[in-house]
Amino acid sequence: MDSKLIVNGVKQRDISSPTHVLDKYRYTNKTKIFYHPGRISEAKNQVVLCESFQHLISEGKDVVLVLSGTKQDMCIYNKLEPFFSDRIVYLGERSDVLELLAEADAMCLPSKWEGMPIVLLEALSVGCVPICAPVGGIPEIIQDGYNGFLSSSSNLDDYIEALDRYLCLTKEAVVTMMGHTKDAFNEYTIEKSSSKYCQYYECLLNGK
């Protein structure tokens, strides 16, 4: 299709007042908190997400998965409920997603399909390491092992493998990757996105 591609952009906000909502889930000084913000739906693949963390927890990994989002599909929510525990927590619908991303260690998005997720851009803006499935526009944003992790697919084993790769990082490597996520966000600011729209409209108005 002969068309113009203009990528999404989001506003970068300064999180100056942390909510500390996730503090109570850091059971030790080594606990890693993974956050998944997204409506409960088939697209977001939350059953595989919870199965992945159930596997990690059964192996003795010091991890916590926190989910939030509207209950769009009650059939899927009913499948998720048996997973909920002190280490797989559902917070319901939230208005402080960006603050929670800033407090979490990593953001999980094992989706079956996506466009270019706004929540991924928000994660980059606060340096929250994304661990995603390679669907939609996600591979255009994440360079695997550099500014986040891409699983080989949306399947259970592949997503567990991506989570394990994150858990194997040293503290220094995590800090470096967080810096790379923030650098990657520079291409997805709302200012750059709106500027590209204005330039394109001007071209159309001028008949170019």
Side-chain angles (χ1 to χ4, degrees):
M1 179 181 293
D2 182 17
S3 61
K4 176 69 174 179
L5 174 63
I6 298 176
V7 298
N8 286 338
V10 297
K11 183 177 181 180
Q12 187 165 29
R13 287 170 42 203
D14 178 31
I15 308 299
S16 55
S17 300
T19 63
H20 300 292
V21 170
L22 302 183
D23 287 357
K24 62 182 176 182
Y25 304 114
R26 292 194 185 277
Y27 301 117
T28 75
N29 59 6
K30 294 184 178 178
T31 301
K32 295 291 186 182
I33 296 181
F34 297 77
Y35 180 41
H36 169 78
R39 66 190 185 278
I40 306 300
S41 66
E42 182 181 356
K44 300 301 181 183
N45 206 20
Q46 285 106 346
V47 173
V48 162
L49 179 61
C50 288
E51 288 175 342
S52 298
F53 277 87
Q54 187 178 60
H55 173 82
L56 295 177
I57 293 164
S58 70
E59 290 187 330
K61 302 288 176 61
D62 190 3
V63 298
V64 172
L65 170 65
V66 176
L67 306 95
S68 73
T70 58
K71 299 175 186 177
Q72 186 180 79
D73 189 323
M74 286 304 300
C75 289
I76 292 176
Y77 178 78
N78 291 336
K79 292 179 182 178
L80 299 180
E81 271 194 304
F83 291 103
F84 297 158
S85 65
D86 59 336
R87 288 186 177 267
I88 300 179
V89 182
Y90 173 63
L91 298 181
E93 190 172 356
R94 305 287 300 195
S95 60
D96 55 352
V97 169
L98 195 64
E99 287 79 4
L100 294 177
L101 285 168
E103 293 178 27
D105 295 293
M107 188 274 288
C108 293
L109 202 63
S111 306
K112 294 180 179 179
W113 63 86
E114 286 283 357
M116 180 175 282
I118 294 296
V119 72
L120 173 55
L121 304 184
E122 290 177 330
L124 296 179
S125 75
V126 295
C128 184
V129 175
I131 305 171
C132 304
V135 298
I138 292 175
E140 297 176 29
I141 301 173
I142 297 178
Q143 184 178 339
D144 185 44
Y146 179 75
N147 63 344
F149 290 98
L150 289 175
S151 58
S152 297
S153 75
S154 301
N155 295 334
L156 177 62
D157 289 343
D158 290 336
Y159 198 69
I160 291 173
E161 188 272 339
L163 292 169
D164 275 329
R165 285 194 287 134
Y166 171 81
L167 290 170
C168 287
L169 292 178
T170 63
K171 288 183 179 179
E172 293 77 13
V174 169
V175 171
T176 299
M177 184 171 285
M178 289 172 64
H180 292 160
T181 65
K182 289 184 176 180
D183 290 342
F185 175 71
N186 292 332
E187 294 301 314
Y188 301 99
T189 65
I190 193 63
E191 291 81 8
K192 282 196 174 182
S193 182
S194 59
S195 176
K196 289 176 181 176
Y197 274 107
C198 289
Q199 291 172 10
Y200 183 53
Y201 292 152
E202 287 175 0
C203 288
L204 292 177
L205 289 170
N206 294 326
K208 295 181 181 179

